[in-house]
Amino acid sequence: EVQLVESGGGLVQPGRSLRLSCAASGFTFDDYAMHWVRQAPGKGLEWVSGISWNSGSIGYADSVKGRFTISRDNAKNSLYLQMNSLRAEDTALYYCAKELVQGVIAYWFDPWGQGTLVTVSS
Amino acid sequence: DIQMTQSPSSLSASVGDRVTITCRASQSISSYLNWYQQKPGKAPKLLIYAASSLQSGVPSRFSGSGSGTDFTLTISSLQPEDFATYYCQQSYSTPSITFGQGTRLEIK
């Protein structure tokens, strides 16, 4: 069974940094692209960033470009999101999501983890 | 960015009803349209990808159709477990992926 477990969320002051992690199991991690998608409290979904299986292709939403960095460690079956210069509008539940099909980036997110909550507030 | 607009924003229906949710893109996205279901306190779940392909394990009462700018998600006979929020998502304009605002399906 595929499992994605996010961690690293918490309360952080504006302008500070936070690093999220996603531990993957139940599939061959280095065969699949991975993504981060967030959801502000009571709001809809927003794709944040994605990374190909070999880290050769990386993309970001305009809202986080230049502030967030996605990375992965295939030896550790882990995905990361380094978030710098955090703003109040970054407050959200951050989900890690696996690409549906191996080897490609189709932006078909399946499955998703349960999320880790990031709250940016002074 | 491509804007995705869902209608209605909320919907009340009864078990056994046939329900249709519409998603409209601000420009043509071919068939690069996906549907997700999210239940309260849970992560979203992929239902339909590439406009009409049913994800493995998803009941056949769910179906998707459309191309270009107009798409629909249809539930042929609502079951109690289908009451949730549904989101469409375009995967045409990468990496500027966008979701619709969601349609909340409630019990009448």
Side-chain angles (χ1 to χ4, degrees):
Chain A
E1 179 193 4
V2 173
Q3 281 203 317
L4 301 170
V5 180
E6 301 93 336
S7 61
L11 175 63
V12 61
Q13 293 179 328
R16 302 299 291 265
S17 299
L18 208 57
R19 188 194 196 206
L20 306 183
S21 299
C22 171
S25 61
F27 66 103
T28 304
F29 183 70
D30 55 11
D31 278 348
Y32 292 86
M34 297 293 294
H35 301 270
W36 290 99
V37 182
R38 68 184 181 184
Q39 186 170 34
K43 301 298 185 182
L45 301 167
E46 180 187 18
W47 176 82
V48 173
S49 182
I51 186 169
S52 63
W53 65 274
N54 64 352
S55 305
S57 180
I58 287 174
Y60 299 97
D62 287 343
S63 58
V64 307
K65 199 174 295 182
R67 299 187 299 123
F68 290 11
T69 302
I70 192 172
S71 63
R72 63 190 295 161
D73 185 336
N74 287 345
K76 295 183 178 180
N77 289 350
S78 293
L79 175 72
Y80 305 101
L81 186 67
Q82 177 67 43
M83 304 186 295
N84 298 332
S85 304
L86 283 161
R87 306 167 180 168
E89 54 265 35
D90 296 318
T91 294
L93 186 63
Y94 284 73
Y95 292 104
C96 163
K98 170 184 164 291
E99 184 67 59
L100 176 64
V101 179
Q102 69 179 46
V104 299
I105 302 180
Y107 300 89
W108 300 337
F109 309 131
D110 183 75
W112 305 46
Q114 285 306 301
T116 186
L117 182 62
V118 173
T119 303
V120 184
S121 175
S122 54
Chain B
D1 285 2
I2 297 176
Q3 305 304 315
M4 306 301 294
T5 303
Q6 291 181 230
S7 60
S9 294
S10 63
L11 172 62
S12 294
S14 301
V15 172
D17 284 354
R18 180 182 180 90
V19 167
T20 297
I21 297 169
T22 297
C23 180
R24 175 164 288 175
S26 59
Q27 66 184 74
S28 177
I29 58 170
S30 185
S31 295
Y32 292 83
L33 191 283
N34 314 303
W35 290 98
Y36 297 84
Q37 175 194 66
Q38 187 177 33
K39 297 181 180 180
K42 300 295 185 182
K45 172 187 173 182
L46 178 65
L47 299 176
I48 302 283
Y49 60 97
S52 60
S53 295
L54 190 68
Q55 167 58 344
S56 175
V58 174
S60 59
R61 63 181 179 272
F62 290 91
S63 64
S65 65
S67 66
T69 60
D70 294 316
F71 301 85
T72 58
L73 172 70
T74 299
I75 309 172
S76 61
S77 178
L78 268 177
Q79 298 302 300
E81 60 268 29
D82 299 337
F83 292 94
T85 298
Y86 293 84
Y87 292 93
C88 64
Q89 172 228 342
Q90 65 83 13
S91 50
Y92 176 83
S93 178
T94 64
S96 299
I97 302 305
T98 48
F99 290 85
Q101 82 279 13
T103 294
R104 185 175 179 182
L105 178 52
E106 300 175 320
I107 301 173
K108 182 183 285 184

